[in-house]
Amino acid sequence: MSSRGRVTAILGPTNTGKTHHAIERMLGHRTGVIGLPLRLLAREVYDRIVKARGPSVVALVTGEERIVPDRVQYWVATTEAMPEIGADFVAIDEIQLCADPGRGHVFTDRLLNMRGLHETLFLGSDTMRPAIAALVPEAQFIRRERFSNLSWAGSKKLSRMPARSAIVGFSVDDVYAMAELLRRQKGGCAVVMGALSPRTRNAQVEMYQNGEVDYLVATDAIGMGLNLDIRHVAFSATHKFDGRRVRPLFPHEMGQIAGRAGRHTESGTFGVTGEAQILDEGLIDALENHRFAPIQRLTWRNTRLEFGTMDRLVESLEAGSGHELLGRGREADDLGALKLLREMPEIRDRVQGGKDVRLLWDICRVPDFRGISHMEHATLLARLFGFLQDGHIPADWLDRAIKRIDKTQGDIDAISKRLAFIRTWTYVAQRTGWVADEKHWRGETRAVEDRLSDALHAALTQRFVDRRTSVLLRRLKQKESLVAEVNDKGEVTVEGEFAGRLEGFRFRPDQTATADEARMLNRASYEALKPEFHLRADRFYNAPDTEMDYTEQGGLMWGSHAVGKLVKGSDPLHPGVEVFVDEEAGPEIADKVRRRLQHFIDRKVAALFEPLLTLQKDEALTGLARGFAFRLVEALGVLPRDGVANEVKELDQESRGALRKHGVRFGQFTIFMPALLKPAPTRLRLVLWSLAQGLDEFPESPPPGLVTIPHLDEVPDQVYTLSGYRPAGERAIRIDMLERLADLLRAQDTRGGFEANPDMLSITGMTLEQFSGLMQGLGYAAEKSERAKVKAVEVPVVAPAPEGEGSVAPMTEEESVLAAETRAKWEAEQAEKRAAEAADAEAAPEAEAAEAAAPEMEVFYTFKWAPRPRGNRHPRGDRPQGDRGQADRPQGDRPQGERRGPRRDAPVKDAAPGDRPRGDAPQGERRRGQGKPGGKFEGGKKGGGKPSHNAPKTFTSRPEKKADPDSPFAILAALKDKT
């Protein structure tokens, strides 16, 4: 305990610049050694001295790092690694750690035995003054007062924590949880823990010091030597786990941590947050004035060790001091490892003498950086002992161990674990004589540690720092004007940081942001987006209608962005508009967007429903015609005839003519306006009807160009009607094509029975089997039969009417293409059959004879009108009393020029007056057999009389005029005749 020079103890609270003073004093000597409590702090002091004197004269020695140049003058080391050399100056920082139960014995040893040739400094808390005075009586004391005031600030929520605050936690989980919360609410924070490597810690501290983040979350490691710009320190807890048990923080420990608030002459505050309880007044006063009870007992361990046997070494380590101030602390990790190794048979067999015991003790002092378990650590030490007894640690074994760790992928915990593992090998590589190529392995382990440190810093920053939010908040705090940019993709950047997307007139924050981050982004972004909202609203208001559209669910689009939706209006043809505009854009923007969208949809309705609107506004319509027009407008241009049968019967010829002038067609099944069956009006009609009905999900219109679509039970019949289709069996047929089919059916004997001709199949685009299902859905009975197939092709009896003569509505382009394809297919089938028959006849005469004996059979259907029994309401309206025969079928407008009289081969009564009023046919249409009731038709049969026989027959219609010689059927017939 003898002194070789002046001994001085500089004691006092934190924030007194004691470490800075010690560095200046050491540089005033030719040589010096300074011991520091943390590897992090040792690196910081090393960097400061290197900056002042250069790297060639400064050494850094820690358990995991050793930088020793050739001309060393100044040694910076952790307290455990201080070299025992004769230096002019020696300083021990944080000397109050002599009382630490875990590592205090090291500081106590330095207090008693380390001296400088000219000067020795002890730096630390004033609580050490009595102990130093008793153990080092020659020491002189200097009290350094705090440069600024430290005051109590009470409890604050983490969300209300002031800028430049340090929040202290005592577990990794607590630190991560608080850091995550600060990232969401404040833009991020730096993280400092004792387990971090100096490289990671320095990168995190630099981020805080540079102002990239305003918050620091740390463990109690912050209380030792870190000189940071901290204005407030908040304790998240007042208890900690010290390695053995959870205990309350000692007042002097809290004083050490709280004292980091304030910088030089700038005052600081301290308080609590989270679940930490409010401190009592006595403790607050002690912390504010740095008045704590003096340390009564120091931790001590014998340094005069005996290496004869393992038992004697353990006994010497557990020997007492014999001094009342010096007591044994808890069992250190190295002593615990020695005891575990002593119990292993393989170790007892290999330890033969003092040299082996000394080597074993050196190995036991390898720190347990991994922290897996005491036995796991002891097993590793036993492996190292075996290697070193044989010479060196094998290079290939060490290389494999390091390569398993050298991976930068993974989350924070995975990288932290690898960093702890590499510290073990870094420590091993620093030991003299343990590896063959010390320089190589020191460089290799250092490189791996640096890579993992950088990866850990990046992972911490990525998880706990939102640079974007941090930048925006800092600019807002500084009250700077923010510059926002919106590119052609709608991506919004504020001050170069991606903030979200502007979709129409709604700002969508980045989806990776949390709800709290989104609120901050909105606050920053909306300030910068105000000019953009006005520019975009002006551009939208002046945009042509071609840039806008509506969806089948009522959405209103501007390009690819939704800017509003349709809502129920005063009537179906006048829907309202609800705009999608952020409230922050202001009412002026919302009103401008609303007016433009209302103009768009009003013009769209006016263009697509022009015939219907014209009908609605026609003042010339009076009486029944005006009432029927109202019904048609109410139904958006499509009315099933069975629902308005009575109104139709009451309409006179003049009223019908007035309605026809507006394009109204009185079909057998539907009253409709052909112009409104096009895809665009149909699509809009379904939207307008759905709005009027208040539906949550709108039905979609069928694809354009289809003659029939599936008939689904779950879809109401009204939806099919609005879509322009009529359900019939398993299919629904387009209304206009159904009326064309009805024109063909009118020429058939529906009571006696008829077969489908190619024109019927052509119109519907169906096979015969499918057509039978359609006819049954329309109220016909279909009788399936077989017969011998007729090889000769009969000449078609009905030539297609020239366009414009036989139909009020000429075939559309897709209809004509469909008809041509059906006819071509039929002709190809007939030609193929003829060719096959000819080939069979030439190759096998016997087969022909057999075929003649057993003719080929074909399936055919006979269709008859099958009204429902009396008492059942007919699907197309009640049958008028007294109607018979074909009067069961609904009657519609006949094509111009079609004869209304009975056919020669099927004399029936004309349409009943209830279904077809007199005068319904166009003027000039020839009427025959419509004299007084009971008059006779051509052929001498009574109107409404039954046929002369009841058995079903197949009738062949004959043309009323000569067939067109250019018809494909006529050409085909001519070819048949030649054969």
Side-chain angles (χ1 to χ4, degrees), residues 57-181:
V57 296
V58 186
L60 174 64
V61 181
T62 67
E64 303 100 285
E65 196 168 11
R66 184 179 180 87
I67 303 174
V68 183
D70 296 334
R71 299 183 299 107
V72 180
Q73 290 182 256
Y74 305 105
W75 296 77
V76 180
T78 53
T79 306
E80 287 85 348
M82 291 178 68
E84 298 181 2
I85 60 173
D88 293 339
F89 176 86
V90 170
I92 312 295
D93 193 18
E94 304 295 351
I95 195 65
Q96 73 274 4
L97 288 179
C98 288
D100 184 80
R103 53 195 294 236
H105 63 90
V106 177
F107 286 81
T108 302
D109 176 69
R110 303 297 184 259
L111 173 69
L112 298 177
N113 301 314
M114 288 288 294
R115 296 290 184 271
L117 297 175
H118 298 294
E119 184 177 5
T120 301
L121 281 183
F122 299 128
L123 312 172
S125 172
D126 197 45
T127 56
M128 278 292 293
R129 184 181 185 115
I132 294 176
L135 297 173
V136 188
E138 70 274 19
Q140 299 178 2
F141 295 93
I142 299 176
R143 178 174 172 83
R144 299 289 296 269
E145 298 295 337
R146 182 180 170 90
F147 295 141
S148 59
N149 295 326
L150 180 66
S151 57
W152 167 252
S155 176
K156 296 180 184 294
K157 291 183 178 180
L158 210 59
S159 59
R160 299 182 179 275
M161 200 64 62
R164 313 311 292 173
S165 292
I167 299 91
V168 181
F170 298 98
S171 72
V172 174
D173 291 340
D174 289 344
V175 169
Y176 287 173
M178 291 186 292
E180 180 68 27
L181 186 58

Side-chain angles (χ1 to χ4, degrees), residues 509-574:
D510 183 18
Q511 294 302 314
T512 60
T514 62
D516 295 324
E517 290 173 336
R519 284 195 295 269
M520 290 186 289
L521 282 173
N522 287 349
R523 188 178 69 178
S525 300
Y526 279 127
E527 281 295 320
L529 284 174
K530 285 182 179 179
E532 177 63 25
F533 276 125
H534 285 278
L535 291 174
R536 183 166 286 208
D538 292 340
R539 190 164 64 250
F540 174 70
Y541 196 81
N542 296 314
D545 283 354
T546 53
E547 293 185 8
M548 305 176 199
D549 197 6
Y550 63 92
T551 68
E552 294 195 353
Q553 297 301 316
L556 294 171
M557 308 295 293
W558 181 28
S560 60
H561 299 303
V563 292
K565 68 176 182 179
L566 296 173
V567 296
K568 185 176 181 179
S570 57
D571 62 74
L573 290 174
H574 295 86

